[in-house]
Amino acid sequence: MYPFSFTKVSDTREALQAGRRGGRYVAGGTTLVDLMRETVERPHALVDISALPLREITVTERGGLRIGALARMAETATHPVVRRSYPVISEALQLGASAQLRNMATIGGNIMQRTRCTYFRDVTAACNKREPGSGCAALHGFNRSHAILGTSDHCVATHPSDVAVAFAALEAVVHLLGPDGERGVPIVEFLLRPGDTPQREQALRPGELITAVEIPAHPRPLKSGYLKVRDRQSYEFALASAAIALHLRGGVIREAKVAAGGVGTVPWKLPAVEQRLIGERPSAALWADAAARAADGARPLAHNRFKVELLGRTVERQLRTLGGTR
Ligand code: SF4
């Protein structure tokens, strides 16, 4: 370890002041403290925001859902409204991390978590994300778990969050509070593809704080669920995952929300799959045809070509689970 300051704040004004001075916000600490132990991250000042009043989960006036940034993964997964109306969120949370971690980790921290690329966590390896300009050991190293979508010549790491995939499918908005006031950013714009600046992972301005994630109102009923495929059935990250929500009326799919995890540098929205589904009646042929578009634009690496087919199969299986196979 190395020296750093630690300040616990009790209101957002205090937090923003500390953030403006360059302090790093921490709540559950389940990612950042690990990375500090490994000296992958070396913040000089930590600002503990865990006492801020940002833990509520509420139904909005417009019929959406607002999840406070400090709501714990576990309490969000088991919240009655989340379980009843957004099973895709509940399932993604239950399938992410251990029970102990889910009791500590927050929703805001979950979407801010950093990649599990092993080279990123090995301070002796070249990594543009950890040390800009040093290279990318994964490009020509062992890259089985890496991304096939949204990659660049500078970084091919996947985003590790499960619930962020559910949020992307449901077109969630990340609410931010900073020195210039409040703003909302769609999660698919908040999480940044690596491009030539892989060290920049979120569209956060200096000192900004996540206050909540809001799911906009969707037509009811919305059937939804999350399928995660991985090497073992617990405490493992996705090789491919599918977050899907469908609204059917009169036997026809009126709305389709689809995103994939484990395959992209960010949670990967699948508009071609969504468009193929809308206006159609459920059938096994439709599921297969829609899922065949899931990996459009994929750029597999030496060891992860299998993800192209795996992604299609994952999406097809989850469509079949949600929509039946008539
Ligand atoms: Fe670093 Fe990204 Fe390359 Fe992994 S894939 S070594 S995180 S630059």
Side-chain angles (χ1 to χ4, degrees):
M1 269 297 195
Y2 60 93
F4 59 89
S5 69
F6 183 87
T7 313
K8 190 171 175 84
V9 294
S10 52
D11 63 44
T12 46
R13 186 187 49 82
E14 239 186 299
L16 292 180
Q17 279 173 357
R20 207 164 25 218
R21 290 193 296 270
R24 284 284 297 277
Y25 299 126
V26 64
T30 54
T31 291
L32 183 57
V33 174
D34 263 2
L35 292 172
M36 287 172 68
R37 279 200 199 105
E38 294 166 15
T39 67
V40 173
E41 293 242 33
R42 298 174 67 94
H44 67 274
L46 289 188
V47 183
D48 179 0
I49 57 169
S50 58
L52 300 186
L54 299 173
R55 202 165 166 173
E56 267 193 336
I57 299 173
T58 48
V59 175
T60 67
E61 280 176 17
R62 292 184 292 273
L65 185 74
R66 187 179 169 100
I67 306 171
L70 295 177
R72 301 297 190 264
M73 286 175 73
E75 67 198 17
T76 307
T78 56
H79 190 280
V81 175
V82 176
R83 288 178 78 151
R84 186 174 61 246
S85 302
Y86 305 95
V88 65
I89 295 176
S90 182
E91 291 168 16
L93 286 165
Q94 298 280 15
L95 290 168
S98 64
Q100 293 90 335
L101 285 172
R102 291 197 297 271
N103 284 331
M104 287 291 291
T106 63
I107 293 297
N110 188 296
I111 61 176
M112 289 289 291
Q113 67 181 296
R114 307 205 69 190
T115 182
R116 307 306 295 197
C117 172
T118 48
Y119 300 107
F120 171 72
R121 285 162 189 261
D122 173 358
V123 291
T124 65
C127 174
N128 288 323
K129 194 182 277 297
R130 176 171 28 79
E131 199 179 326
S134 64
C136 171
L139 270 178
H140 303 292
F142 187 57
N143 44 41
R144 178 175 181 270
S145 65
H146 287 71
I148 57 171
L149 291 158
T151 57
S152 75
D153 292 342
H154 302 275
C155 181
V156 292
T158 50
H159 191 275
S161 169
D162 290 297
V163 76
V165 181
F167 288 157
L170 295 172
E171 287 141 12
V173 172
V174 180
H175 287 275
L176 303 165
L177 177 66
D180 300 326
E182 290 181 58
R183 65 186 181 116
V185 182
I187 191 163
V188 291
E189 293 170 24
F190 178 74
L191 297 172
L192 303 176
R193 299 184 196 185
D196 56 8
T197 54
Q199 73 279 11
R200 192 157 178 261
E201 296 174 324
Q202 302 91 15
L204 273 172
R205 295 175 185 156
E208 271 188 329
L209 179 70
I210 301 177
T211 54
V213 174
E214 183 172 342
I215 313 300
H218 289 293
R220 300 268 177 251
L222 195 66
K223 289 178 85 171
S224 73
Y226 186 71
L227 175 63
K228 180 174 181 176
V229 178
R230 46 189 166 169
D231 281 329
R232 57 182 182 195
Q233 273 308 306
S234 73
Y235 207 53
E236 184 56 280
F237 293 86
L239 288 170
S241 70
I244 302 182
L246 300 175
H247 169 63
L248 282 89
R249 202 173 59 247
V252 174
I253 300 166
R254 308 288 176 175
E255 297 266 355
K257 310 286 178 194
V258 186
V263 289
T265 51
V266 292
W268 203 255
K269 190 82 166 143
L270 299 175
V273 176
E274 295 174 342
Q275 282 154 23
R276 179 66 187 87
L277 295 169
I278 293 170
E280 301 288 345
R281 290 180 181 276
S283 72
L286 177 66
W287 305 146
D289 196 45
R293 295 152 204 249
D296 282 0
R299 293 203 319 168
L301 302 160
H303 307 116
N304 68 4
R305 188 164 295 278
F306 72 97
K307 284 193 176 186
V308 172
E309 186 171 351
L310 181 64
L311 172 58
R313 288 184 180 214
T314 305
V315 170
E316 184 180 351
R317 188 169 128 202
Q318 186 59 4
L319 283 169
R320 211 182 309 131
T321 301
L322 282 179
T325 53
R326 282 169 291 170

